[in-house]
Amino acid sequence: MNKSVITNVVAAALMTIGYFFAAPILLSVGLFALSGAATNWLAIHMLFEKVPGLYGSGVVPAHFEEFKAGIASLMMEQFFTDENIDKFLSDQGSGAAKINLQPVIENVDMTPAFNALVTTVEQSSLGGMLAMFGGSEAIAPLKEPFIHKMKSSLIEISQSEDFYELLKNEIEQPDVMADLRAKISAIVHQRLQELTPQLVKEIIQQMIKKHLGWLVVWGGVFGGLIGLVAGLIT
């Protein structure tokens, strides 16, 4: 049982007791508390659900597209700005350690590079000599050591500060930066297209349900206090 239900039950109980036991002050406290709590509960409910006959209800589903556009604007204008991207790249001058290309290089197929090397040797002045020793099959055992050495060298190069500075300078070119932001924007909009009104409603409800529940509680408390004052006056 959540806070909202408990508040409404307590207010209804006070009103019932005041009515049956002819206690005007208790009746007034319960009635005002129930009205305050129920009104706030209805207002929260109307944020997420369309209530027939109540204009303005169902705010979240009704403005779903505006909600998505707001998220996209927030992401691009506050997070993925040129300044923030540049700051990420320049953070404390340790960018080479932040941009780790090792996993990418390790998964790259270096076979075409080895094949190109073999072709180059075959077409060079050493091609005839290579043919005397079995042709390209003679250097086939060198494939794995060659690929291993190439990957090690590329990883070493990609982790150097010189490589990072070159990469940073290229990324910071105006046309490159604009293209990068365009691609990020496309990804953000693509992900937002996967959202549905129901999913957005559930996300927001989960985030603010705990806090909005206190609106019902305080609505009941202040309503009860107003009812107490009204009962004392009458």
Side-chain angles (χ1 to χ4, degrees), residues 38-52 54-64 67 197-198 200-213 215-216:
T39 300
N40 283 0
W41 174 85
L42 180 60
I44 296 171
H45 180 75
M46 288 171 59
L47 282 175
F48 306 102
E49 304 292 344
K50 183 69 176 178
V51 180
L54 295 182
Y55 177 78
S57 60
V59 174
V60 173
H63 297 275
F64 175 65
F67 176 79
Q198 180 63 28
V200 172
K201 184 181 75 171
E202 292 175 358
I203 293 173
I204 297 178
Q205 281 181 323
Q206 290 175 359
M207 289 191 300
I208 63 179
K209 182 178 180 180
K210 176 181 178 180
H211 303 287
L212 288 183
L215 291 178
V216 177

Side-chain angles (χ1 to χ4, degrees), residues 14-15 17-32 224 227-234:
L14 290 175
M15 184 182 68
I17 294 172
Y19 177 78
F20 284 103
F21 288 90
I25 294 180
L26 197 58
L27 175 63
S28 178
V29 170
L31 182 61
F32 276 80
L228 177 62
V229 172
L232 293 173
I233 292 176
T234 55

Side-chain angles (χ1 to χ4, degrees), residues 163-178:
F163 174 83
Y164 167 71
E165 288 300 326
L166 290 172
L167 178 62
K168 176 175 174 290
N169 291 335
E170 286 299 318
I171 293 178
E172 288 179 340
Q173 295 297 321
D175 55 338
V176 177
M177 188 72 76

